[in-house]
Amino acid sequence: MNENVAKPNRILSIDVLRGFDMLLIIFADRFFIGLNQGAGTPFTEFLAEQFDHPEWFGSTFYDIIMPLFLFVVGAVIPFSLSKRMQASTSMTSIYRKLIKRFIILFILGWIVQGNLLALDAGQFHIFSNTLQAIAVGYFFSCIAYIHLKRKWLYFTFAACLIIYALLLTIPHVPDVGKSVLLPNRNFALYVDHLVFGKFDDGLQYTWLLTGFGFTATTLSGVFAGELIKSNLPRKKITSYLFVAGLLGIALGLIWGIWHPIIKKIWTSSFVLASSGVCYLLLAFFYWIIDVQGKTKWSFPLKVIGMNAITAYVLSHVINFAKIADFLLFGLEQYTGAYYGMITTTGGFGILYLLLWYMYKNNTFIKV
């Protein structure tokens, strides 16, 4: 492959990686849980545990899904924003687009997990969903990308990590004492309860101050996107992505000795370690697809990735497994404990057919 070929405005490996992430969200977790319910072996139990969040400290494979979503959003920013800026689009128009996207993502987050459709104020949560985390990370990363030079983007990334780490360890929490990285004893959760009041999600997850971490994760994707968009040879880009991944994991683990990796409050060490994994995944997909040119296998993931938010929202609002149950109920007598895995697979098949139909008709719902 000619290393000097101009890079397209749309990088296939990023779309496929987004589809891979969505596959984990809308299918893999329930599939492996259903498989374990049927098989009940130590191996299937291990797989099921990898698709569940840890109680507090540490991490499982499932914990990479949300950071990867933010990371991929960040990776697209250098392509989408620079295109608008080069087209002499007015700053007012760009900000109007950013604010519109921020609002739409927040509303979709309310629909998916904020219980907006319950039409009950007692069940409503202001900030409680991945899409809303993306809205925050995307908005502030875009502002930084528009107004700051590259070195200041790195400074902003580091500042987000340091400021948030200090906010989690220095302030005093009323009726608790000094903030510590434990459930219900950290300053970030206290701020959420204080600001959102009865509309807080009521869980151990934190959201408002965690915006520093969401922004840092998205910025890590911006750096990857800038690297891919550069004029460097593609093999060298792959190497840099791989090295950045290893470095991120190493720094996250080292910082984690004093500032533990905790996904629920998105600690700075978690940002570094998870971003490192995201870089490794992108390096792998970029190497296979954009360097080696092996693309045929990736078509199903591309179909999902091109309508990722549609897939995410539909999978959370509509119970496709239940729809599959109406069609496949006759199999229950033959599959026994594996029937849950069957309906999960069938439900995913229905959703995929819908996404495939949209793809074939060039119907891409963008926010």
Side-chain angles (χ1 to χ4, degrees):
M1 179 177 290
N2 185 356
E3 289 288 337
N4 296 317
V5 173
K7 298 181 179 69
N9 287 328
R10 193 168 193 104
I11 303 298
L12 179 58
S13 56
I14 295 179
D15 287 329
V16 174
L17 181 58
R18 186 190 300 109
F20 171 75
D21 194 32
M22 286 308 308
L23 181 67
L24 298 178
I25 297 174
I26 66 180
F27 173 63
D29 56 348
R30 280 162 284 188
F31 173 82
F32 285 111
I33 291 172
L35 176 64
N36 184 53
Q37 289 173 345
T41 67
F43 180 65
T44 58
E45 182 180 4
F46 168 77
L47 292 176
E49 288 174 351
Q50 287 302 305
F51 282 90
D52 193 12
H53 297 300
E55 207 47 49
W56 190 252
F57 296 110
S59 187
T60 62
F61 182 73
Y62 199 48
D63 284 342
I64 197 58
I65 293 177
M66 185 172 168
L68 184 57
F69 212 158
L70 273 76
F71 177 86
V72 171
V73 167
V76 175
I77 288 175
F79 296 93
S80 59
L81 265 188
S82 62
K83 186 177 180 180
R84 292 193 186 99
M85 292 163 71
Q86 290 171 5
S88 300
T89 305
S90 70
M91 199 58 65
T92 301
S93 177
I94 291 176
Y95 267 92
R96 187 182 297 118
K97 178 70 174 178
L98 294 181
I99 294 171
K100 177 184 175 183
R101 182 167 293 180
F102 179 90
I103 293 172
I104 291 175
L105 286 171
F106 244 83
I107 293 174
L108 290 176
W110 288 338
I111 291 173
V112 169
Q113 206 160 328
N115 296 316
L116 182 65
L117 299 181
L119 304 179
D120 180 358
Q123 298 184 45
F124 180 71
H125 308 310
I126 292 178
F127 200 163
S128 62
N129 183 259
T130 299
L131 294 178
Q132 295 166 332
I134 290 173
V136 171
Y138 174 80
F139 183 77
F140 288 107
S141 294
C142 283
I143 291 176
Y145 185 81
I146 291 170
H147 296 288
L148 300 177
K149 293 182 179 180
R150 174 84 60 89
K151 66 177 181 180
W152 289 108
L153 285 178
Y154 294 132
F155 175 82
T156 302
F157 172 78
C160 284
L161 296 181
I162 294 170
I163 291 171
Y164 185 50
L166 293 176
L167 287 172
L168 283 175
T169 53
I170 292 179
H172 179 88
V173 180
D175 301 323
V176 171
K178 186 178 179 181
S179 176
V180 291
L181 302 182
L182 291 173
N184 301 314
R185 297 187 64 187
N186 61 82
F187 186 64
L189 191 63
Y190 166 74
V191 170
D192 276 3
H193 292 334
L194 181 67
V195 174
F196 299 136
K198 67 177 183 178
F199 299 116
D200 179 66
D201 71 4
L203 301 174
Q204 295 174 344
Y205 290 87
T206 61
W207 301 97
L208 195 60
L209 293 181
T210 312
F212 284 105
F214 298 151
T215 301
T217 299
T218 309
L219 280 174
S220 71
V222 171
F223 303 145
E226 280 280 273
L227 182 59
I228 291 175
K229 188 173 177 288
S230 71
N231 293 322
L232 289 170
R234 291 180 175 180
K235 289 183 179 179
K236 185 166 288 188
I237 289 174
T238 305
S239 299
Y240 286 164
L241 290 172
F242 181 75
V243 170
L246 294 179
L247 186 61
I249 293 174
L251 290 175
L253 292 175
I254 293 171
W255 198 348
I257 296 173
W258 300 277
H259 191 75
I261 293 175
I262 306 171
K263 190 262 182 182
K264 289 186 177 181
I265 56 176
W266 214 270
T267 55
S268 297
S269 56
F270 173 76
V271 172
L272 288 170
S274 61
S275 294
V277 175
C278 291
Y279 268 91
L280 292 182
L281 287 171
L282 181 56
F284 174 76
F285 278 79
Y286 186 77
W287 169 256
I288 296 294
I289 295 171
D290 294 305
V291 177
Q292 297 296 313
K294 303 182 187 302
T295 61
K296 290 184 179 180
W297 67 274
S298 65
F299 177 75
L301 295 179
K302 181 182 178 182
V303 168
I304 301 172
M306 293 289 283
N307 266 308
I309 291 183
T310 301
Y312 181 84
V313 173
L314 288 179
S315 68
H316 284 73
V317 173
I318 300 174
N319 191 336
F320 285 97
K322 193 168 186 178
I323 296 175
D325 180 44
F326 288 124
L327 302 173
L328 305 173
F329 66 92
L331 293 175
E332 185 172 9
Q333 58 188 315
Y334 303 109
T335 57
Y338 287 96
Y339 184 63
M341 183 189 72
I342 299 296
T343 55
T344 293
T345 305
F348 169 72
I350 295 170
L351 174 57
Y352 181 80
L353 285 175
L354 176 60
L355 296 173
W356 175 84
Y357 180 80
M358 294 173 67
Y359 178 86
K360 285 297 184 181
N361 287 276
N362 291 317
T363 303
F364 304 111
I365 300 177
K366 301 183 183 300
V367 176

